Amino acid sequence: MMMPTASAQIGWVAKAGRDPGENDDRAAAGVRRFAVADGAFTSARAEVWAEILVRAFVGEHLDPFEPAVLAQLRAQWQHEVEQPNLPWYAVAKLQLGGAATFVGLELDDDGWRYRCCAIGDACLLHLREGQLLVAGPLERCEQFGRDPALITTRGADESHRAAVWRVSGDYHPGDRFVLASDALAKYLLRHHHNGSAVDLSAVLGDSFTDWVIAARAGDGLDNDDTTICLVQA
């Protein structure tokens, strides 16, 4: 029996005070693969690294945590960011490398199974009829902090390996998967654990930007780049 195609909606809003185009998050959605990456603001050309990660996972069906793949992606980042005649301070920052958190979801064509890999505080939430079944790598809003685990462009940096989170399981028709960058993941987990889950369809069906602005102003959503990929099975 053919498995119905999942649908996905993506929304993203830059941190207040920044130009709308100055967003270090990236998201991508395919037929069976979906991803969100949150580029670390303090790293070099984080938006380029985030784009490379989501594009590799969704478009090329690659696992960015596999050593050979990661080496290839790091070389790609280096090639894309190295430009002639850069000022000395830009060259110096590039030497620090890019960094990002990441969450990628794959729906299995062979049955109602899913797989997810992630690092840091970009999170997956698996929902069924409004109930939260699985969340990770972080499960509660209290776990979010200022120094999440990151996957970086630095060739000798293998510190991320112990922090990679993987999960797999079954899902049902009608289930939802939320892939969210840290500010939104923290906000959604707080509401789920407080018994006041957010109606994500209403949020994305109207104006995501307006909703984010209102949630920042009056409901405790942290002022940070805010990105979601909502997958409907």
Side-chain angles (χ1 to χ4, degrees):
M1 183 177 66
M2 294 290 292
M3 187 173 74
T5 302
S7 62
Q9 294 173 274
I10 290 174
W12 66 328
V13 181
K15 180 178 180 179
R18 301 180 71 188
D19 185 275
E22 294 180 340
N23 190 331
D24 295 320
D25 292 357
R26 291 294 186 272
V31 176
R32 298 284 183 262
R33 283 181 170 237
F34 315 87
V36 165
D38 181 353
F41 178 69
T42 55
S43 69
R45 299 305 306 273
E47 80 288 356
V48 175
W49 184 228
E51 178 66 27
I52 287 172
L53 291 171
V54 299
R55 190 167 64 223
F57 185 86
V58 173
E60 302 173 52
H61 289 200
L62 298 175
D63 183 340
F65 299 115
E66 290 295 326
V69 171
L70 181 55
Q72 171 190 333
L73 300 182
R74 284 170 165 169
Q76 183 179 344
W77 177 86
Q78 198 74 36
H79 175 75
E80 291 192 23
V81 301
E82 285 186 344
Q83 302 294 329
N85 303 317
L86 287 173
W88 67 267
Y89 54 84
V91 174
K93 185 163 186 179
L94 287 180
Q95 291 174 351
L96 299 175
T101 63
F102 174 85
V103 55
L105 170 70
E106 179 184 8
L107 302 183
D108 195 336
D109 286 337
D110 296 329
W112 296 93
R113 297 281 297 173
Y114 74 90
R115 292 185 291 271
C116 178
C117 59
I119 190 168
D121 51 16
C123 291
L124 172 81
L125 285 71
H126 178 193
L127 307 171
R128 179 174 299 152
E129 296 180 354
Q131 298 300 307
L132 180 61
L133 303 181
V134 175
L138 305 183
E139 300 177 289
R140 303 191 67 87
C141 62
E142 296 84 3
Q143 295 175 296
F144 289 78
R146 299 182 64 87
D147 297 302
L150 300 166
I151 184 169
T152 79
T153 65
R154 294 188 294 272
D157 185 0
E158 300 299 320
S159 61
H160 66 278
R161 299 232 172 267
V164 175
W165 181 77
R166 295 184 186 273
V167 68
S168 61
D170 299 319
Y171 69 98
H172 294 174
D175 282 7
R176 289 178 171 177
F177 296 93
V178 177
L179 287 71
S181 56
D182 58 332
L184 185 56
K186 177 182 175 182
Y187 176 90
L188 294 176
L189 287 170
R190 173 167 61 84
H191 274 269
H192 271 286
H193 292 304
N194 288 345
S196 55
V198 177
D199 183 352
L200 292 169
S201 293
V203 167
L204 283 166
D206 191 7
S207 171
F208 186 62
T209 300
D210 290 345
W211 178 83
V212 167
I213 292 170
R216 287 172 179 169
D219 198 22
L221 176 63
D222 292 342
N223 181 24
D224 195 1
D225 293 343
T226 303
T227 301
I228 183 173
C229 178
L230 174 63
V231 180
Q232 178 76 51

